């Protein structure tokens, strides 16, 4: 290896660096001898100058675009090796190095990798082809680098041949964690999978879901976009566009691609956040053109350029908007600062990069610090040779170097050197490592995988993927006093997957990122739900209101949540569920009060009727009504029916639900039974057909009939309550309320109960209808007929109304029907009698009663004679004589027990005042009259 002298003239130095590579030793950028040599790969220059001549020749060309930040990383490697050589970590062992410039190109890096593989201490740089490299000794024991992932992938595949450990300080591509394809690759920085996850978390927490991506069109860029896409999808973040830029500045299409990306940014007005996976020289070109076009966005920076001072010093950089980025966690930089401060005393003969830097400083000595990076990157080695001047002293400008430090990269570089040194120490515990053949690189690789050491009081080791996961610092670019300053805003913890803030001010600044709007669609407020539109992106949607009984309590929800319909409800576009009010027919309800008043009025009328009948017990009207006992039973049934309406009002309870229907059903059945007895008695008294009278006499058993009719209803109710008892139920079918109601248990049982009452009423109606032509003053049969008609009409209307009514007023329907039927039968049964007792007292006398019976019997006998004469005229039989209608006085023999008995002749009709003659034919049977 060629070692450059320290005291060579400056002009000779310039001539050396200005020439193309002529020998492998000329290819080395910086070197230092040692017992164990470590290789280094750094992209000191941003691009390689490709020859435009034809034909193309396979030569390693010069590079252009001196990158100060990467140059500092190479110095960090030198500094770390010097620290180790001056420490007791490797006593008696000196580490050397060979550092090569990859110029950010795979081709140049591959050439350096081939040099690393060449046999140690050979006269020529030759790589032997072997089947087993276990005892093969290459020039270096380990390699640090490369800077970019795409370069590291290519180099790793060559170094895998001899399993030379490669420890990168900056390559973050996720694929490099694959130990099957890259078994000898390690790194001191986290994988991009963590970075993309952190970016997606930042975007999600900031409320953004519509973003753009710009990345390099190489392995690093494509893999980063793929990884970020998966993380974005997991966080409901959509990618509006992806623009890929050529990986190398030497690509002739790069300017067109940059313009195309900017056109896309301008066109997508709703995209205000751009994620950038680019190298620093790409970002510089992109931002300069964006500033010209007055593009103002929020830029999410990858670790490649987030701490790039060279970028932050671009003129008018603040016009681009806010920059938030991620960088590797750093350590204490004080020793490196001291190293840079004393750089002027460092020998530069073996470090071509230092020599080039001093020449650039001399060439750009008239440039201020803020424009110095641009001046440096614009020069190539050829232009430096054309503009070289002889200087008596070297220009270092240490402050400029310190200002351009990227702490994350410097720390990871030094960490890589210390990891290798600790592995070497373990290898050399029982070996003489002064001997270059003491151990092979593959043995060092195995030691590196298991190494553990302390860095800044924190244990450091490589995980199963060969990564040291140090975490990230979240950076934000702020303009302070007209100058862009890169500051720490938060720390991202890889294990806990969360952002950690040092103070409240930083957290507030982080939360203020939400002020930037970058969404495809407007925010859906609580009560609304996202409906995906025709766009393929789930982030593009329209907001629609949640339907009734559904709600959303957060913004941008994908679905509406169903309320518990039994206990809660919600209107359209609701953000919460409201508890349903429990309702029932309350005692305080005006309608319930009205019904109760009507029931109370009925009870008052019953009491009044009882008083009237009790005080007039000896009058014909009361006696003709069947006596007080029957009247009291009927009135008691009406009273119970009115009382049963109270069980339909108020909060339903188990006993009220069971009692209300049974009480009404039994009492009303008894009432109809008593009225039926009266109807049968009327037919029995005024029926002139002997056959019908005989049948009625057999059937007319008052107490057994009433007991049987009522007993059947009692049996129905007992079976109902026992088998399918009514119970209290919460009816939630109504939108806003819970109706507390009685479930009848069995609608069939309810129907049977009501149907049985209807059957009794129908029989009563038929019997009463047959006796409708009785004496007018006491014609109870006619009023019973009307009462039954009212009952039928009420309950026929009740059925459809009851089945179609819902809500708390459902019990009121049955109450109304009970009141109508109760009032109808009560009024038809007792009101005419009360009217006669109170206002027709002349008709409530014994004489008036007898006169009425006489007129009725005369009329009936006359009709009977006419009918008989018609029959006799046809058969030749003489006419039937008329008979005495009734006895005149109470003393007559035909007045028995307060009832009048009479005989009518079967052969003669009595005309006027002609006295009756003795009948020679058979006598008509005697009949007992009983009025209503």
């Amino acid at each position: 290896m060629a070692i450059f002298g320290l005291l060579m003239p400056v002009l000779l130095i310039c001539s050396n660096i200005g020439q193309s590579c002529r020998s492998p030793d000329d290819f080395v950028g910086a070197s230092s001898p040692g017992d164990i040599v470590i290789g280094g790969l750094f992209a000191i220059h941003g691009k390689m100058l490709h020859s435009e001549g034809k034909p193309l020749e396979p030569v390693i060309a010069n590079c252009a675009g001196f990158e100060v930040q990467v140059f500092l990383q190479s110095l960090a490697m030198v500094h770390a090796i010097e620290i180790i050589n001056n420490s007791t970590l490797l006593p008696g062992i000196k580490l050397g190095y060979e550092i090569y410039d990859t110029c950010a190109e795979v081709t140049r890096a591959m050439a350096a990798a081939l040099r690393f593989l060449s046999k140690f201490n050979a006269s020529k740089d030759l790589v032997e082809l072997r089947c087993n490299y276990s005892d093969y000794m290459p020039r270096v024991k380990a390699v640090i680098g490369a800077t970019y992932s795409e370069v590291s992938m290519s180099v790793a595949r060559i170094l895998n041949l001899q399993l030379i450990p490669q420890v990168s300080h900056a390559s973050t591509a996720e694929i490099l964690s694959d130990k099957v394809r890259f078994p000898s690759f390690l790194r001191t920085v986290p994988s991009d999978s963590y970075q993309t996850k952190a970016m997606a978390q930042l975007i999600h927490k900031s409320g953004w879901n519509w973003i753009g991506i710009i990345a390099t069109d190489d392995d690093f860029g494509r893999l980063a976009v793929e990884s970020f896409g998966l993380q974005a999808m997991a966080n409901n973040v959509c990618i509006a566009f992806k623009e890929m830029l050529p990986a190398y500045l030497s690509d002739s299409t790069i300017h067109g691609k940059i313009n195309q990306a900017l056109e896309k940014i301008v066109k997508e007005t709703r995209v205000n956040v751009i994620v950038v996976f680019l190298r620093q020289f790409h970002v510089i070109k992109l931002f300069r053109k964006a500033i010209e076009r007055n593009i103002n966005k929020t830029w999410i920076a990858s670790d490649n350029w987030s701490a790039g001072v060279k970028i932050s010093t671009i003129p008018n950089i603040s016009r681009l908007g806010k920059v938030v980025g991620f960088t590797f966690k750093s350590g204490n930089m004080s020793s490196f600062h001291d190293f840079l401060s004393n750089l002027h005393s460092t020998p530069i003969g073996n470090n071509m990069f230092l020599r080039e830097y001093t020449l650039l400083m001399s060439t750009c000595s008239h440039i201020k610090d803020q424009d110095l990076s641009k001046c440096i990157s614009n020069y190539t080695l050829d232009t430096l040779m054309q503009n070289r001047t002889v200087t008596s002293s070297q220009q270092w400008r240490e402050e400029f170097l310190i200002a351009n430090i990227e702490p994350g990269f410097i720390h990871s570089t030094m960490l890589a050197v210390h990891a290798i040194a600790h592995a070497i120490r373990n290898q050399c515990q029982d070996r003489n490592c002064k001997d270059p053949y003491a151990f092979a690189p593959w043995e060092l690789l195995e030691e590196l995988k298991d190494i553990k050491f302390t860095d800044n009081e924190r244990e450091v080791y490589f995980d199963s993927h060969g990564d040291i996961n140090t975490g990230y610092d979240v950076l934000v670019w702020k303009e302070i006093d007209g100058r862009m300053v890169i500051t720490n805003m938060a720390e991202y913890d890889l294990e806990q997957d969360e952002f950690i803030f040092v103070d409240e001010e930083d957290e507030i600044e982080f939360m203020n990122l939400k002020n930037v709007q970058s969404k495809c669609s407007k925010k859906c407020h609580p009560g609304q739900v996202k409906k995906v539109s025709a766009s393929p992106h789930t982030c593009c949607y329209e907001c629609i209101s949640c339907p009734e009984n559904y709600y959303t309590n957060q913004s941008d929800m994908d679905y509406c949540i169903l309320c518990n319909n039994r206990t809660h409800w919600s209107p359209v576009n609701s953000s919460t569920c409201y508890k349903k009010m429990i309702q029932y027919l309350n005692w305080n309800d005006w309608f319930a009060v009205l019904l109760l008043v009507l029931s109370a009025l009925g009870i008052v009328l019953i009491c009044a009727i009882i008083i009237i009948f009790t005080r007039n017990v000896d009058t014909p009207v009361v006696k003709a009504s069947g006596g007080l006992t029957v009247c009291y039973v009927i009135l008691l049934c009406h009273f119970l029916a009115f009382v049963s309406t109270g069980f339909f009002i108020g909060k339903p309870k188990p006993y009220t639900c069971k009692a209300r229907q049974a009480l009404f059903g039994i009492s009303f059945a008894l009432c109809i039974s008593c009225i039926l007895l009266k109807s049968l008695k009327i037919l029995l008294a005024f029926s002139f057909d002997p056959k019908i009278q005989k049948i009625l006499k057999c059937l007319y058993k008052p107490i057994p009939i009433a007991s049987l009719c009522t007993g059947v209803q009692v049996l129905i109710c007992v079976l109902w309550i026992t088998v399918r008892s009514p119970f209290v139920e919460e009816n939630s079918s109504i939108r806003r309320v819970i109706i507390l109601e009685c479930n009848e248990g069995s609608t069939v049982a309810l129907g049977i109960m009501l149907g049985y009452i209807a059957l009794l009423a129908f029989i009563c109606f038929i019997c009463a209808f047959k006796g409708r032509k009785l004496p007018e003053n006491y014609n109870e049969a006619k009023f019973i007929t009307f009462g039954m008609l009212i009952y039928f009409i009420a309950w026929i209307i009740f059925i459809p109304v009851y089945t179609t009514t819902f809500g708390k007023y459902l019990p009121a329907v049955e109450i109304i029907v009970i009141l109508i039927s109760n009032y109808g039968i009560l009024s038809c049964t007792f009101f005419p009698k009360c009217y006669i007792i109170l206002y027709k007292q002349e008709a409530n006398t014994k004489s008036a009663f007898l006169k009425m019976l006489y007129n009725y019997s005369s009329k009936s006998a006359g009709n009977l004679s006419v009918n008989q004469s018609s029959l006799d005229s046809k058969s030749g039989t003489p006419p039937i004589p008329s008979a005495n209608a009734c006895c005149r006085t109470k003393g007559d023999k035909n007045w028995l027990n307060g009832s009048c008995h009479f005989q009518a002749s079967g052969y003669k009709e009595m005309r006027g005042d002609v006295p009756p003659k003795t009948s020679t034919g058979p006598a008509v049977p005697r009949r007992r009259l009983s009025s209503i």
Side-chain angles (χ1 to χ4, degrees), residues 18 57 69 79 138 217 252 488 528 597 668 705 750 791 843 849:
E57 297 179 355
Q69 286 79 15
H79 173 56
D217 192 10
S252 60
N488 277 9
Q528 296 178 321
V597 169
F668 219 73
I705 290 176
L750 176 63
Y791 169 83
F849 181 71

Side-chain angles (χ1 to χ4, degrees), residues 3-10 12-13 16 31-32 97 344-352 354-355 394 396:
I3 305 298
F4 293 97
L6 299 178
L7 302 175
M8 297 179 68
V10 173
L12 181 59
I13 293 172
N16 285 339
S31 62
S32 177
Y97 56 85
H344 59 275
S345 61
T346 302
I348 63 173
N350 64 340
N351 195 323
M352 189 169 61
L354 269 176
R355 284 181 281 162
Q394 297 169 344
W396 292 101

Side-chain angles (χ1 to χ4, degrees), residues 151-171:
V151 176
S152 290
M153 291 178 202
S154 301
V155 171
R157 286 186 167 93
I158 293 182
L159 298 182
N160 286 345
L161 184 64
Q162 298 179 13
L163 290 180
I164 298 176
Q166 178 187 357
V167 185
S168 176
H169 64 291
S171 299

Side-chain angles (χ1 to χ4, degrees), residues 553-716:
N553 54 7
Q554 297 177 8
S555 301
D556 289 335
M557 290 190 67
D558 296 317
Y559 56 90
C560 294
I561 304 171
L562 176 65
C563 295
N564 183 351
N565 286 337
R566 292 188 58 82
T567 57
H568 291 77
W569 71 281
S570 67
V572 175
N573 195 27
S574 176
S575 60
T576 186
C577 288
Y578 300 97
K579 192 171 183 180
K580 289 185 175 182
M581 294 178 60
I582 297 178
Q583 289 188 353
Y584 48 86
L585 190 58
N586 200 294
W587 295 100
N588 298 326
D589 190 282
W590 68 270
F591 196 51
V593 172
L594 175 62
L595 296 175
L596 288 173
V597 169
L598 293 175
S599 297
L601 179 61
I603 293 173
V604 170
L605 290 174
I606 290 171
C607 294
I609 292 170
I610 291 173
I611 293 172
I612 292 171
F613 270 56
T614 303
R615 295 182 63 180
N616 298 274
V617 65
D618 294 327
T619 61
V621 170
V622 175
K623 290 181 178 180
S625 297
L628 281 180
T629 303
V630 175
C631 293
Y632 284 167
V633 171
I634 295 175
L635 290 172
L636 176 63
C637 293
H638 284 296
F639 173 79
L640 294 176
F642 280 123
V643 170
S644 69
T645 60
F647 290 93
F648 289 85
I649 301 174
K651 185 176 182 179
K653 296 178 181 178
Y655 73 90
T656 58
C657 292
K658 295 174 183 178
R660 64 182 191 173
Q661 297 289 6
L663 181 60
F664 165 72
I666 294 171
S667 62
F668 219 73
L670 179 58
C671 176
I672 299 298
S673 300
C674 292
I675 295 174
L676 175 61
L677 289 174
K678 295 180 70 175
S679 299
L680 291 174
K681 190 174 182 182
I682 292 170
L683 284 178
L684 180 61
F686 289 96
S687 176
F688 296 99
D689 190 334
K691 293 181 179 180
I692 295 175
Q693 188 180 43
K694 184 177 181 181
I695 294 172
L696 290 175
K697 282 183 177 180
C698 294
L699 292 176
Y700 186 69
K701 307 293 182 184
I703 295 176
I705 290 176
S707 301
L708 177 63
C709 293
T710 308
V712 171
Q713 184 74 301
V714 171
L715 180 62
I716 292 171

Side-chain angles (χ1 to χ4, degrees), residues 415 418-419 422 425 451-455 458-462 468:
L415 200 61
H418 281 277
H422 280 81
R425 183 191 65 177
I451 195 67
K452 289 186 180 181
F453 61 99
T454 302
D455 176 65
R458 185 172 63 91
E459 188 179 56
V460 178
Y461 59 92
F462 293 99
I468 294 180

Side-chain angles (χ1 to χ4, degrees), residues 819-838:
L819 291 176
I820 291 173
S821 55
N822 216 23
Y823 269 110
I825 295 174
L826 179 68
S827 59
C828 290
T829 304
F830 291 100
F831 282 9
K833 296 179 176 61
C834 291
Y835 177 77
I836 292 173
I837 293 172
L838 296 176

Side-chain angles (χ1 to χ4, degrees), residues 174 192-193 195-197 199-200 203 211 213 221-242 275 277 538:
E174 187 175 353
D192 272 339
S193 62
Q195 179 178 216
T196 54
K197 186 176 183 180
M199 285 181 171
I203 292 170
I211 56 100
I213 296 180
R222 287 189 292 270
L223 291 171
V225 170
E226 181 182 352
S227 176
F228 178 79
L230 294 174
Q231 297 294 343
M233 187 183 301
N235 286 277
N236 296 322
V237 176
C238 297
I239 300 171
F241 62 84
K242 302 173 188 176
V275 178
F277 294 104
T538 58

